[in-house]
Amino acid sequence: MTGITRTSADLDPRRKRILFRAWHRGVREMDLVFGQFADNELADLAETDLDELETIMGEEDTDLLKWVLGSQPVPERYRTPLFNRIVSYRPDFDVLLADKDKNA
């Protein structure tokens, strides 16, 4: 769960860009959420879902993290099946942070 697991060789240019952006968010927690979602679902998304995904990914990582963690309500415009699927890729950050603290 630390990085990209899928090749982009079979993806069209738009999906390649989205895959790269999903794993290079700037906030590691969001890399893990969006990256894993993209690894698993990007190839099969419809164009309308790609549009929505790009819109969601255009939001600030700090806001996205709050919505994904549930510390702030998700705005109405993102209360969609796609956003729920993205959130389902959220790892248990408490475990990840505890492991990080042990190794520090």
Side-chain angles (χ1 to χ4, degrees):
M1 184 183 334
T2 59
I4 193 166
T5 59
R6 142 185 251 302
T7 178
S8 64
D10 62 332
L11 298 176
D12 62 72
R14 182 182 188 190
R15 284 179 169 80
K16 285 180 183 181
R17 279 191 309 274
I18 293 171
L19 181 62
F20 182 85
R21 285 184 56 213
W23 280 110
H24 297 87
R25 301 287 309 161
V27 172
R28 187 65 182 149
E29 291 84 355
M30 291 294 85
D31 290 352
L32 293 172
V33 173
F34 282 103
Q36 289 192 66
F37 173 81
D39 277 359
N40 290 297
E41 300 203 26
L42 188 61
D44 298 323
L45 290 179
E47 292 296 316
T48 55
D49 288 334
L50 292 175
D51 294 342
E52 183 180 346
L53 177 58
E54 288 183 311
T55 299
I56 293 168
M57 289 177 63
E59 293 288 340
E60 292 292 325
D61 280 333
T62 52
D63 293 332
L64 286 165
L65 184 59
K66 291 172 189 173
W67 302 334
V68 166
L69 294 176
S71 62
Q72 281 192 355
V74 177
E76 183 67 36
R77 68 186 177 276
Y78 295 134
R79 293 182 194 163
T80 65
L82 181 66
F83 191 85
N84 291 336
R85 283 171 43 205
I86 294 167
V87 171
S88 75
Y89 283 88
R90 181 190 77 179
D92 184 350
F93 290 123
D94 292 335
V95 171
L96 293 174
L97 294 174
D99 286 343
K100 182 180 170 186
D101 290 342
K102 281 190 235 176
N103 296 325

